[in-house]
Amino acid sequence: MTKTLTMDKPDDRRRLDHMAQAVIGKPLDRPDGPLKVSGTAPYAAEYEIENCAHGVLLRAATMGTVKSLNRAKIEALPGVLGVFSSDEFLRNPAQGMAGEAPVQGVGEVAYVGEVIGLVVAETFEQARHASYAFAPEIEPAGHIVDPEAVEPEPQDSEAVDQGDLAGAMRDASHSVDVVYRTEGHAAAAMEPHASIAVWDGPKLTLYGAYQMLKFNRKELADSLGLDEADVRIVSRYVGGGFGSKLGISQEGIAAAVAARGLGRPVSVVMTRQQVFESIMRRTETKQHMRLAADAEGRLTGLGHESLISNLPDEEFAEPVPQSTHFLYGGENRKISLNVARIHRPAAGSVRAPGEAVGMPVLENAMDELAHAVGIDPVELRKKNLPECHPETGIPFGTRKYAECMDEGAKRFGWADRNRVPGGLREGEWLIGHGMAGASRVNMTETAKARVTLSANGTATVETDMTDIGTGSYTVLGQVAAEMLGLDPAKVEVKLGDTDLPPGSGSGGSIGASSCGSAVFLACEDVRTQICEALGCEEADLTLKDGEAVTGNRRMSLADALGADELTGEGEFNPGETSEDYAQAGYGAYFCEVAVNSVTGETRVRRMLGVYAAGRILNEKTARSQCLGGMTWGIGTALTEELVHDERNGKIVNRDLAEYHVPVNLDVPQLNVVFLEEREDAACPIQSKGIGELGFCGAAGAITNAIYNATGVRVRDYPVTLDKLLAGLPD
């Protein structure tokens, strides 16, 4: 019988604090690490499938109506097995957690680079060669590609108009009224999107690179008109996702259609350019920030009005002001989100949608206000922390934002920072210091797991949760090891297969808390069964090092179980606590930069991030997530931007040679600190999301430091040297 918990009230038992094995939180190595570094972990395109043909996607170079694919020339080439196109093909991937097919059909091309066909051949090289001959006939259509050239659609879900912001701005002792812009971003995961489709009669197995399998299964079935029970997805190892693999994507459907037509397996792997052009981008933003404050710097008004873009018919809207709603006070508020419907590739979730671009700009505006008031930026933020959610009045969950700032300031040496913009120099280098807050809403999702304890003292954890490089294999094994009193090496974790109980999936920083809670509940079920066998109360049972202790009895698990094998199942569901408490993870960044006064080059010299995210389940994997997040912050601040051709919206810098992510020399020593915390309202293991929190606001600390170094306030991200040069001192 499944043990089910719905979070309708906080769980303050904190059972993981009282278990005896003491492995939770420890920086354990990843059990999948040796497989990955030795090349023996099979990624999506690496499963050895007999008689597998190879496909290459065919894309449109212009927008308009497809008249003909001109198949004959391609089909005559050596090794070609067929050219496929279908109304089942996807315009773009499904959005995260959609659970249904996205827009389908290839008759109308909505953006440059849209997939409209697939050529399949005996070998990949033959298919690629054939793709070069693709010359479809498309009747061109003119579409608007500039987000500021159309009337946007308001998103009511983000709209707040509280009090009189205009009046607050008029009466303010100090105010900020500025516009910031951020450019679009690509997820650019190391592993490109790939799928192998295998049919067995009416049943389809897809080996793919996906993040949220229980949703992806529904999307795949819906796209092909199949019963969900006839679809299986296998995604045991994923080489990064960052949101780009949340939904079923074009190569998966194309592979399935072709495999069905040919009666043999088909593999389709996207090129890097195809990923950039046809997989989700993060939208560009235009953000109008208004802050009104009294003479002491207390906010009386806050405005955050954002413009984003997406294709027509796409429901996703980057929630830019997501943390603005609750992070700071101010009784007069105007927050809005508007979507421009244009014909660039679809916008969707890229790591930390909303806060990734909203938090840096909010923190830039707060820095501007601190300078206007003449107050320490840390003190300004602490002065403006609301006692409850400033728009809804609900209480906060755990909130150690002030503690993160205080700890970070102490460790960084904030008291010794440069206090005069442009006032600290080392030769031709201008030195600056900046800080910013971090905030990311905390979410969970329904998840199920199965745990089997064997008489030989080993356990198996099963759920279709994925590991996209974040450490799911490690953390879920630790939860089970802690609850069952086992060495983590004796816990096998099986993930990434829809034949297993449906987990939450990886996305929105929900995985560890949601699936970890399901594993926790399944282990509670197993512990109850052990107690039934031993005739004791569960509160009196201690499991440690493969032994069971109750009262004055101590025995091995083998003796306790006999020849039996115990299986427990757990189901975790979010509940009323997600509405009753404003839950978020918090943090603070402190940064030192050097800006060359001659060339405008910016170098990040040191950076510290201090975070409070509930219980840290594995210090090493959590730290790695924050290191990666801070590195993303460097990219957002200094280098990363999608460049679109103004004539047709085509992404110009469509590979890693031209889309500049930070490399080793761009990244200094990064320091990560976690504060001790438990979030009882989140889940029974008291954790909160960490994978995205590590990124949210990081870019703001860097750009604030650039201003501190130079006295030049650049409000267009990224801060490339051409935007700095004109304002640099002689």
Side-chain angles (χ1 to χ4, degrees):
M1 181 173 162
T2 301
K3 178 156 189 180
T4 300
L5 174 66
T6 299
M7 287 298 294
D8 288 333
K9 62 180 182 179
D11 187 339
D12 59 4
R13 297 175 298 157
R14 302 187 180 182
R15 295 206 65 189
L16 289 178
D17 288 335
H18 308 298
M19 293 293 140
Q21 196 64 28
V23 295
I24 279 292
K26 294 298 193 312
L28 302 186
D29 292 339
R30 304 174 187 226
D32 50 315
L35 298 176
K36 291 177 175 178
V37 299
S38 63
T40 54
Y43 288 87
E46 298 176 329
Y47 287 90
E48 296 183 5
I49 307 297
E50 188 176 350
N51 195 35
C52 189
H54 298 269
V56 170
L57 295 171
L58 306 172
R59 296 173 303 136
T62 187
M63 293 177 282
T65 302
V66 178
K67 296 298 185 181
S68 171
L69 296 183
N70 292 326
R71 304 166 182 259
K73 182 178 180 181
I74 299 177
E75 291 174 337
L77 293 172
V80 171
L81 299 172
V83 175
F84 296 86
S85 186
S86 165
D87 288 340
E88 297 165 315
F89 275 36
L90 307 183
R91 181 185 71 179
N92 47 261
Q95 298 286 353
M97 294 186 173
E100 61 183 13
V103 175
Q104 293 179 273
V106 296
E108 296 292 329
V109 178
Y111 61 92
V112 174
E114 183 176 336
V115 173
I116 58 175
L118 176 77
V119 57
V120 181
E122 291 288 353
T123 68
F124 166 73
E125 291 77 13
Q126 290 170 329
R128 180 179 59 184
H129 174 70
S131 72
Y132 297 151
F134 185 52
E137 181 184 347
I138 298 176
E139 183 179 306
H143 290 301
I144 297 175
V145 299
D146 180 359
E148 297 189 36
V150 298
E151 186 68 27
E153 299 175 0
Q155 298 295 299
D156 294 338
S157 62
E158 294 289 344
V160 172
D161 195 346
Q162 179 177 301
D164 180 10
L165 179 59
M169 293 292 290
R170 182 185 62 244
D171 299 337
S173 298
H174 305 282
S175 63
V176 172
D177 189 341
V178 292
V179 173
Y180 279 79
R181 285 178 166 83
T182 66
E183 296 299 333
H185 297 149
M190 184 181 295
E191 178 197 24
H193 290 60
S195 291
I196 303 175
V198 182
W199 290 87
D200 182 6
K203 295 185 180 294
L204 170 65
T205 297
L206 191 75
Y207 299 87
Y210 293 105
Q211 296 180 223
M212 309 191 90
L213 299 194
K214 74 176 180 185
F215 297 102
N216 305 144
R217 186 184 196 185
K218 295 177 185 292
E219 294 151 7
L220 180 58
D222 190 35
S223 297
L224 298 172
L226 299 174
D227 189 300
E228 187 181 338
D230 290 333
V231 171
R232 178 189 179 201
I233 300 178
V234 178
S235 191
R236 296 190 180 102
Y237 300 97
V238 182
F242 310 117
S244 70
K245 296 167 183 172
L246 289 177
I248 205 75
S249 49
Q250 298 96 315
E251 92 293 337
I253 301 301
V257 169
R260 183 181 59 197
L262 292 172
R264 60 186 287 193
V266 172
S267 169
V268 180
V269 181
M270 284 193 175
T271 65
R272 185 66 66 189
Q273 292 78 10
Q274 289 171 348
V275 171
F276 266 79
E277 285 192 340
S278 62
I279 297 298
M280 302 300 191
R281 64 181 173 93
R282 191 199 304 282
T283 176
E284 70 296 321
T285 75
K286 177 183 177 182
Q287 302 180 48
H288 182 197
M289 296 296 310
R290 287 183 285 174
L291 301 177
D294 64 17
E296 285 74 39
R298 290 184 179 86
L299 286 170
T300 58
L302 185 156
H304 194 170
E305 298 165 275
S306 304
L307 175 68
I308 61 174
S309 72
N310 212 335
L311 282 167
D313 305 319
E314 281 298 312
E315 294 184 3
F316 177 83
E318 180 97 14
V320 176
Q322 192 158 239
S323 280
T324 304
H325 287 294
F326 61 83
L327 193 57
Y328 302 117
E331 59 270 27
N332 303 288
R333 309 170 77 84
K334 187 175 179 62
I335 299 174
S336 65
L337 183 65
N338 298 281
V339 182
R341 297 297 178 184
I342 60 172
H343 287 265
R344 293 181 177 181
S349 296
V350 178
R351 191 177 193 177
E355 286 95 340
V357 285
M359 274 297 296
V361 169
L362 174 62
E363 293 301 281
N364 289 148
M366 289 294 284
D367 194 66
E368 294 201 42
L369 182 61
H371 282 278
V373 176
I375 189 175
D376 180 347
V378 171
E379 290 307 310
L380 176 73
R381 287 164 172 81
K382 290 170 62 178
K383 190 185 292 280
N384 285 289
L385 297 181
E387 293 183 2
C388 61
H389 194 298
E391 295 165 13
T392 67
I394 65 173
F396 288 104
T398 53
R399 185 185 58 160
K400 289 192 173 181
Y401 185 21
E403 291 89 337
C404 287
M405 290 188 282
D406 288 342
E407 184 68 18
K410 181 178 70 174
R411 288 174 178 258
F412 185 79
W414 184 244
D416 299 324
R417 69 190 182 279
N418 175 46
R419 295 172 185 266
V420 179
L424 183 60
R425 180 187 285 264
E426 295 179 4
E428 63 184 36
W429 293 92
L430 301 166
I431 310 303
H433 303 99
M435 64 80 54
S439 174
R440 174 64 174 164
V441 294
N442 185 61
M443 300 174 287
T444 54
E445 164 63 21
T446 294
K448 297 180 180 180
R450 181 168 55 240
V451 174
T452 302
L453 178 63
S454 300
N456 63 3
T458 63
T460 303
V461 175
E462 297 175 297
T463 172
D464 79 355
M465 174 62 177
T466 52
D467 190 326
I468 60 174
T470 47
S472 301
Y473 281 104
T474 318
V475 168
L476 298 185
Q478 277 179 269
V479 172
E482 188 69 78
M483 290 295 291
L484 300 178
L486 299 176
D487 183 326
K490 294 189 176 183
V491 180
E492 180 184 12
V493 179
K494 296 182 178 180
L495 305 177
D497 189 333
T498 55
D499 280 353
L500 303 176
S504 61
S506 298
S509 302
I510 63 175
S513 293
S514 302
C515 285
S517 294
V519 171
F520 170 88
L521 294 167
C523 289
E524 283 198 319
D525 188 11
V526 170
R527 290 174 63 95
T528 298
Q529 294 178 57
I530 294 174
C531 290
E532 290 173 354
L534 297 179
C536 68
E537 295 296 322
E538 214 254 295
D540 298 328
L541 175 68
T542 297
L543 299 178
K544 183 180 180 183
D545 297 331
E547 291 185 326
V549 179
T550 178
N552 59 1
R553 291 183 294 165
R554 177 187 297 270
M555 67 198 76
S556 69
L557 283 175
D559 291 336
L561 271 61
D564 294 335
E565 181 178 84
L566 301 182
T567 297
E569 297 192 352
E571 177 179 339
F572 169 79
N573 297 291
E576 294 178 5
T577 59
S578 61
E579 302 294 331
D580 293 344
Y581 298 86
Q583 297 180 40
Y586 296 92
Y589 305 97
F590 293 82
C591 176
E592 179 178 292
V593 302
V595 180
N596 191 286
S597 60
V598 178
T599 67
E601 175 192 356
T602 297
R603 295 181 182 176
V604 180
R605 302 214 305 188
R606 60 189 177 105
M607 193 168 182
L608 166 69
V610 180
Y611 305 97
R615 185 193 302 276
I616 299 302
L617 300 172
N618 180 307
E619 192 273 337
K620 180 179 289 187
T621 60
R623 179 175 179 272
S624 292
Q625 287 296 290
C626 294
L627 292 175
M630 292 163 74
T631 302
W632 272 64
I634 294 171
T636 299
L638 301 179
T639 63
E640 292 191 46
E641 58 178 326
L642 287 175
V643 178
H644 296 267
D645 190 317
E646 295 179 356
R647 299 166 298 177
N648 59 14
K650 175 184 173 68
I651 295 176
V652 176
N653 56 335
R654 56 197 187 120
D655 55 38
L656 291 172
E658 299 297 332
Y659 180 84
H660 296 149
V661 299
V663 297
N664 191 53
L665 285 175
D666 297 318
V667 182
Q669 182 66 41
L670 305 176
N671 293 311
V672 174
V673 175
F674 295 117
L675 300 187
E676 191 75 12
E677 187 180 64
R678 302 287 185 269
E679 178 57 277
D680 296 333
C683 62
I685 59 175
Q686 291 80 42
S687 58
K688 292 192 279 193
I690 191 70
E692 293 166 313
L693 175 64
F695 173 32
C696 298
I702 297 168
T703 50
N704 288 339
I706 291 172
Y707 171 75
N708 181 259
T710 65
V712 180
R713 184 73 73 175
V714 178
R715 298 190 180 96
D716 295 331
Y717 279 82
V719 184
T720 48
L721 56 87
D722 56 299
K723 299 173 184 175
L724 275 174
L725 276 172
L728 291 177
D730 294 333

